[in-house]
Amino acid sequence: MIEVDRLEKSYGFARALKGISFSVSKGEVIGFLGPNGAGKSTTMKILTGYLSPSGGSGSVNGLDVVKDSLAVRALIGYLPESTPLYTDMRVDDYLSFCAEIRGVPARDRKAALARAFRLCGLERVTGKNIVELSKGYKQRVGLAQAIVHEPPVLILDEPTSGLDPNQIVEVRKLIERLGEEHTVVLSTHYLQEVEKSCSRVIIVNHGEIVADGTQEQLLAKQPGGGLRVRVRGPEAAVLTQLKELLVDVPVEVVDRNDDGNDDGNDYRIAGDGDQAPMAEAIARTVINNGWDLLSLQRETPDLEDVFRKLTLSQAEAANV
Amino acid sequence: MSNVITSLWGRETRVIFRRELKSYFLSPIAYVFGGLFLTVLLFLSAKTSLVHGAPATMQPFFLYLPWLFLIFLPGLTMRLWAEERKLGTIELLLTFPVRTSQVVLGKFGAVVAYLGFILLLTLGLPLTLGAYGSIDWPPVLGQYVASLMFAGSFVAVGMFWSSMTRDQIVALLASIVSLSVLFLLGNPSVIEFFGSNLPLWCAGLLNGISPYKYFLSIARGVFDTRDFIYFTCFCGFFLYANVLVLKARRESKG
C-alpha cells in the first residue's frame, strides 16, 4: 500500500531524513515513534505531498508521491500536527467543505458527513463554531476531516498530543475503530498508544529507522529480563561478592538511593533465560553475609526500554 | 495544456472560492475594512459631487478610488497566506487533491468578488446623482469594471508578497512600496519627469507596466480590449509567481 524507498530530506544543511525505507501493507496500523525532530512529521509531509523529498521515492498504491501527487493525495486522509482547522467555520460547514473539495459527490455528502460525525462522536456539536469547541472536540473534528471521504490510507501526525487522559483514551479507541477499515500511519510520543492500537512499530531517530517490527519482535531484541536487587550493605563488598558468585555476568550499581536514609543500593544483574537459580544464589549470598535483602525482582523489558535504548545516544543515556 | 486551463476555474477552484468568500463575511475584519473604505470613499466623493450646483459627475469618485485601493488593499492582502500559515491550514489546503494554481485562483477570485461587492455598495452615489442630474451610465459602468480590474491587479501583487513571507508586516510594507512605485509610474507627471531624463522607450516601458496608466485610460471613457488583456496578463503574472513560490516551499520547510 505504502512503499518508501531511501527517502531523503534536507533543510539547507540539516538532513532531516537520511534515506529511510519501509513499507506498509493494506490494513496495517503503523505506529511511528521517535523523539522530536527525528523525522516523523517530515516523512508524513512527504507522503501527503506537502513537502517534496530531496532524494529517494515514496509511493501509495503504486502511485509516486511526487509525479502523481494529486492522485496520491486523493487516497489519503491527513491530520497534520497540531490539528489545523478553519476555526471561524461551523463544524458541519467545515466538514462539508472538506468533503466537497475532496470530491465527495453532492448526493453522497450528507451520508459521508453523518458517518464521520458518528465515528468521531461529533453529533452533538455539528452546529457549533469550531472556535467554541474544547481541544478534544477540535481533535475529533480534525479526525473527522481526515476520514470524511473514506480514504484507503490515513496519516495522522500526533493525533493525541495535548489531550487529557480521558480524551486520549477516546481518540485511541476511535483510531482502533478506524484501523478496521483503513490503513493507518500514526505518529506519537505516547508509547501506550502504540502498545494498544498499532500492529507494527517503526522507530526513527535522527532521520533514520532504528527499529521496524511488531512489538513482540522489538521486545525480543531488547536484552533484558535481568535481575534487580536492592541490598543494604557495604557497596564494595557486595559488588565483589556478587561478581565472585556470578562469573562473567555483568553486575552494576544502577541506583544508590542516596536520599539520606540508608535504603541500600540497587544492583542490576544482566542476563536472560531462566534466572530462578541465579536469584536463589544471590539471595543466599546476601543473607549469609549478614546484609539486608530489601528487594529482588526480575526486570521485564517494555517498549519504553526499547525506545529509550534506541533513541538515546550514549552520552544522553549515561545521564539518565 | 488545455486540461490545465479548464481546470483553472474547475470545481476545486470554486469550492475554495466559496469557502474564502464566505469567510470574509464571517470575519469582523471584512466588515471593518469595508465600512472604513466605504466611509472614506463616499465622504470624499460626496463632498465634491453632492454639492448644490455641482455637475452630476463621478469623476471625483474615480479619482479617489485608486488611492484608497493603494492605502487599504495591502492591509487586506497581507493576511491571505500569512493567516493560513499561522493557523497551519495551509498544510491542509496544499494536501487536498487540488492543484496549487486552483488554490491560488480560488483565493484571488474571492478577494476580487468581495471587492466587487463593496463597489456594488457604492452604486448609491451614481444613483443619487442620476436622480438629481443626468448621469451618462455607459462610461460610469466601464469605470466600475476598470476599478475592479485595477483592484484585482493590486490584490495579485499583495497576495504574492503574502506568499513570500511569514511576517504580515513585511508583506504589508513590501506591498505598499511595490504598489506605490507601480502607481507612480502610471502618473502622467511622473512619466513626464522620466521622459525628460530617460530615453523615450524606457519611459514608455516604465509607464506601460503600471496598472494605473490603464485605469486612467479606461477612466477617460475609452474602453480598449488591450487594457483588458493588460490586466489579465498582469494578474496572471503575479498569480503564477505566487504558485511558483508555494511550489518552491515544498522544497524547503513548507
Side-chain angles (χ1 to χ4, degrees), chain A residues 9 49 52 78 86 100, chain B residues 11 18 84 91 96 250-251:
Chain A
K9 180 71 183 173
S52 45
Y78 178 39
Y86 287 110
E100 202 181 350
Chain B
R11 180 186 60 79
R18 277 203 301 277
E84 300 273 358
E91 201 167 336
F96 284 140
R250 289 190 199 276
E251 305 295 330

Side-chain angles (χ1 to χ4, degrees), chain A residues 9 11 45 48-52 70 73 78 80 84-86 88-89 93-94 97 100-103 145, chain B residues 11 15-16 18-19 22 26 84 87-98 250-254:
Chain A
K9 180 71 183 173
Y11 299 128
K45 283 174 181 176
T48 54
Y50 184 60
L51 296 178
S52 45
L70 282 182
R73 285 188 244 162
Y78 178 39
L85 300 164
Y86 287 110
D88 54 357
M89 295 177 88
D93 287 342
Y94 176 66
F97 161 70
E100 202 181 350
I101 197 146
R102 286 189 169 121
Q145 165 274 126
Chain B
R11 180 186 60 79
V15 178
I16 302 266
R18 277 203 301 277
R19 199 212 72 78
K22 211 172 161 190
L26 289 175
E84 300 273 358
L87 286 173
T89 42
I90 191 165
E91 201 167 336
L92 284 175
L93 215 46
L94 298 183
T95 55
F96 284 140
V98 176
R250 289 190 199 276
E251 305 295 330
S252 61
K253 280 209 173 189

Side-chain angles (χ1 to χ4, degrees), chain A residues 209-221:
Chain A
I209 290 183
V210 289
D212 180 352
T214 63
Q215 287 176 56
E216 293 73 34
Q217 288 168 337
L218 296 193
L219 291 178
K221 278 188 203 155

Side-chain angles (χ1 to χ4, degrees), chain A residues 192-204:
Chain A
Q192 313 96 297
E193 201 160 296
V194 175
E195 287 172 349
K196 297 236 168 74
S197 39
C198 297
S199 55
R200 214 174 92 210
V201 185
I202 294 176
I203 302 181
V204 281

